[in-house]
C-alpha cells in the first residue's frame, strides 16, 4: 500500500525542503520506492537540495497539464536507485496547478511508488492546499520559535478541514517534526523546549532534528543530509523519524539539554 | 539558571510559551470567523442607526485578549444636537 506524505509548515524557512529530501532519502535507503515531489511552483528548490538541478527537463506542471508523461518527468537519483524526484516548474505560477490534474498525477505516483513525499510551499494558499489535498500522512515541520509554532497550529487546522481525508470524515495521520532544535539554549530557558511545542500543538512527535552545521553543508553539496553525512546528529534524527513513520517504536532522542560539567565550569560550549 | 530566577528575570522561553498559549486559545476559537470584530461593528452600527444618527467612523471597537477573559470595548460618539447644527 503506497502512502502519500505531505511535508508542510505554514511558515517559510523552517526546513520543509531539507526535511523532504532527508526523509525521502532515508526512506529510500530502507529499500522502499520513493518519489519526492516539489509543489513550490515558481520557487522550486528541492531539485537543488537533491543535487539534480541540472537534470530537470519536465516538471510537475508539464505532467499536470498533460504536456509530458510522468516517467519522462521523474528524475532518478544517481546515488539511490529507489529514489526519484518530480521537480516543480520554475517559470509558471501556482495557478497552473489544477485540482484534477494534481489528483491524476498523485494517483499515477501511487501506482509506482511506496512513498510519495510532497514538499509543500510556505503559506496557506493554492500550492499548499493542493500539496496536502491527497495526503494520508502529514508531517508538520516546526522550529521551537513562536511564529513557526503559531503557523503550524494554523496548518493543523487546514489539515483537519481541507484534505480529502478530512472531508470524508477520516482521520488524517499527523506528525510533528521539530527542526533546528538547540538543546543547550532550550536547557537555559532561552528557547521553547520540545515539550512546550508538543503541549501546544498536541500532535504526536515524529522526531527532533538538532540545529547543525551539517545541514548547510549538505545543501551546499546538493545531497540530502542522510546521504552526505549519515552519521551526523540530524541524519540520525531523520532516520529515526523514518523508522517511526514505518511503524517502528524507537526511543526519542532529545538533543542534549545539559552542558557538560567541565564546559559549565570553564564556560565552554559543549561539542 | 536558578540565580536568574532569584533575581526575578523571567526566562524568555516561558514568556514565549505563555504568549503562544493565550494567542492560540483565541485563534482556535475564532478560526473561520476572523472578521468577528468587523461584523460586530457593522451590526452594532445597524442597531444604533435605528435610533440615533451615527457615522461609521464614530464607532470604535477594540478587543483585548486576556488569559482568563477578553474584553470588547465599544466606543460610540453620538453627536449632540448643537454639533449637528454646526455640521
Amino acid at each position: 500500500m503506497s502512502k502519500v506524505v505531505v511535508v508542510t509548515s505554514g511558515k517559510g524557512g523552517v526546513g520543509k525542503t531539507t526535511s523532504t529530501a532527508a526523509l525521502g532519502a532515508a526512506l529510500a535507503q530502507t529499500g522502499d520506492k520513493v518519489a519526492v515531489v516539489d509543489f513550490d511552483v515558481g520557487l522550486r528548490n528541492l531539485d537543488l537540495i537533491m543535487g539534480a538541478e541540472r537534470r530537470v527537463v519536465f516538471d510537475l506542471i508539464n505532467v499536470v497539464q498533460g504536456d509530458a508523461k510522468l516517467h519522462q518527468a521523474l528524475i532518478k537519483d544517481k546515488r539511490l536507485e529507489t529514489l526519484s524526484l518530480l521537480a516543480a516548474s520554475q517559470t509558471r505560477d501556482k495557478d497552473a496547478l489544477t485540482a484534477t490534474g494534481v489528483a491524476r498525477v498523485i494517483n499515477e505516483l501511487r501506482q509506482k511508488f511506496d512513498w510519495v513525499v510532497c514538499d509543500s510551499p510556505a503559506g496557506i494558499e493554492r500550492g499548499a492546499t493542493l500539496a496536502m489535498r491527497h495526503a494520508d500522512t502529514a508531517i508538520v515541520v516546526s522550529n521551537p520559535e513562536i511564529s513557526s509554532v503559531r503557523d503550524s497550529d494554523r496548518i493543523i487546522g487546514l489539515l483537519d478541514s481541507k484534505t480529502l481525508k478530512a472531508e470524508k470524515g477520516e482521520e488524517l495521520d499527523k506528525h510533528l517534526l521539530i527542526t533546528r532544535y538547540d538543546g543547550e539554549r532550550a536547557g537555559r530557558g532561552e528557547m521553547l523546549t520540545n515539550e512546550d511545542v508538543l503541549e501546544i500543538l498536541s500532535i504526536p512527535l515524529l522526531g527532533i532534528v538538532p540545529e547543525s552545521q551539517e545541514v548547510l553543508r549538505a545543501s551546499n553539496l546538493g545531497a540530502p543530509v542522510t546521504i552526505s553525512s549519515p552519521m551526523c546528529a540530524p541524519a540520525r534524527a531523520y532516520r529515526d523519524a523514518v523508522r517511526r513513520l514505518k511503524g517502528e517504536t524507537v526511543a526519542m532522542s532529545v538533543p542534549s539539554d545539559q552542558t557538560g560539567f567541565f564546559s559549565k565550569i570553564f564556560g565552554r560550549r559543549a561539542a | 539558571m536558578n540565580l536568574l530566577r532569584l533575581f526575578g528575570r523571567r526566562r524568555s522561553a516561558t514568556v514565549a510559551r505563555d504568549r503562544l498559549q493565550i494567542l492560540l486559545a483565541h485563534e482556535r476559537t475564532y478560526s473561520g470567523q476572523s472578521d468577528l470584530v468587523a461584523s460586530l461593528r457593522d451590526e452594532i452600527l445597524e442597531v444604533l442607526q435605528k435610533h440615533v444618527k451615527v457615522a461609521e467612523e464614530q464607532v470604535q471597537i477594540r478587543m483585548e485578549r486576556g488569559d482568563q477573559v477578553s474584553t470588547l470595548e465599544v466606543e460610540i460618539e453620538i453627536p449632540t444636537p448643537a454639533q449637528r447644527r454646526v455640521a
Side-chain angles (χ1 to χ4, degrees):
Chain A
M1 251 277 292
S2 77
K3 267 204 169 164
V4 177
V5 181
V6 61
V7 179
T8 184
S9 70
K11 192 174 183 298
V14 298
K16 282 182 298 298
T17 303
T18 302
S19 298
T20 302
L23 293 169
L27 275 167
Q29 280 167 329
T30 69
D32 288 356
K33 283 186 277 179
V34 182
V36 289
V37 185
D38 193 348
F39 271 81
D40 204 347
V41 176
L43 290 169
R44 78 170 175 218
N45 276 320
L46 188 56
D47 55 335
L48 210 49
I49 299 299
M50 299 283 294
E53 70 277 10
R54 294 199 285 179
R55 299 169 61 208
V56 182
V57 183
F58 295 114
D59 56 53
L60 176 65
I61 300 290
N62 294 136
V63 187
V64 162
Q65 299 199 330
D67 301 329
K69 296 267 182 248
L70 180 60
H71 71 89
Q72 295 176 302
L74 283 169
I75 303 165
K76 271 206 164 198
D77 191 88
K78 286 191 168 166
R79 300 147 297 209
L80 287 169
E81 209 186 316
T82 48
L83 181 61
S84 294
L85 161 74
L86 182 55
S89 169
Q90 183 69 346
T91 50
R92 313 288 283 274
D93 67 69
K94 59 187 187 305
D95 297 329
L97 280 179
T98 61
T100 47
V102 169
R104 184 176 50 77
V105 175
I106 294 284
N107 272 330
E108 254 184 87
L109 286 164
R110 272 187 197 273
Q111 313 295 317
K112 289 177 188 260
F113 296 95
D114 300 311
W115 298 90
V116 180
V117 187
C118 304
D119 183 18
S120 171
I124 52 172
E125 287 170 41
R126 191 179 177 80
T129 48
L130 278 174
M132 68 170 68
R133 183 84 186 140
H134 303 273
D136 304 304
T137 300
I139 297 176
V140 179
V141 181
S142 192
N143 293 162
E145 183 274 326
I146 48 172
S147 59
S148 173
V149 176
R150 180 200 210 170
D151 291 359
S152 295
D153 190 78
R154 187 76 204 283
I155 280 290
I156 292 170
L158 290 183
L159 288 167
D160 286 335
S161 59
K162 303 270 180 177
T163 51
L164 271 181
K165 277 218 157 186
E167 284 174 9
K168 280 192 264 175
E170 293 169 25
E171 184 74 11
L172 177 84
D173 215 8
K174 298 183 292 286
H175 302 274
L176 176 65
L177 185 68
I178 300 176
T179 55
R180 310 200 70 161
Y181 192 78
D182 185 331
E184 271 182 51
R185 298 199 71 184
R188 287 201 298 264
E190 296 171 7
M191 186 185 251
L192 291 170
T193 64
N194 57 309
E195 285 105 344
D196 292 336
V197 181
L198 259 182
E199 187 194 323
I200 291 166
L201 295 178
S202 56
I203 58 172
L205 184 61
L206 185 68
I208 307 165
V209 181
E211 172 81 62
S212 160
Q213 300 180 356
E214 290 297 330
V215 173
L216 179 58
R217 183 174 169 270
S219 80
N220 288 343
L221 297 175
V225 71
T226 36
I227 295 180
S228 67
S229 27
M231 292 321 289
C232 71
R236 285 203 305 268
Y238 280 120
R239 259 201 316 279
D240 282 353
V242 154
R243 288 170 64 193
R244 292 184 194 104
L245 210 53
K246 294 184 76 169
E248 270 184 67
T249 310
V250 185
M252 189 64 65
S253 116
V254 181
S256 161
D257 58 349
Q258 301 264 305
T259 44
F261 175 71
F262 285 103
S263 343
K264 240 181 209 165
I265 290 185
F266 298 111
R268 273 183 50 221
R269 286 195 52 174
Chain B
M1 211 159 57
N2 290 329
L3 278 180
L4 280 182
R5 244 185 255 159
L6 273 182
F7 289 121
R9 183 177 153 184
R10 255 180 110 202
R11 297 190 298 168
S12 67
T14 314
V15 179
R17 194 191 54 212
D18 294 348
R19 286 177 62 210
L20 259 175
Q21 275 168 336
I22 294 171
L23 172 71
L24 291 181
H26 285 90
E27 287 191 345
R28 286 168 188 161
T29 317
Y30 299 119
S31 77
Q33 35 172 315
S34 53
D35 49 356
L36 175 70
V37 175
S39 44
L40 277 176
R41 201 184 74 136
D42 289 350
E43 283 174 39
I44 288 171
L45 195 64
E46 214 174 289
V47 172
L48 278 171
Q49 276 171 339
K50 280 188 196 161
H51 306 282
V52 271
K53 223 178 156 132
V54 276
E56 205 176 309
E57 59 275 10
Q58 287 165 316
V59 181
Q60 296 291 330
I61 298 194
R62 278 177 295 270
M63 196 186 244
E64 176 79 34
R65 293 149 162 185
D67 192 355
Q68 303 296 321
V69 284
S70 301
T71 57
L72 187 72
E73 191 186 328
V74 184
E75 189 185 313
I76 307 154
E77 234 180 87
I78 300 173
T80 53
Q83 251 181 339
R84 234 180 278 161
R85 240 175 278 133
V86 176

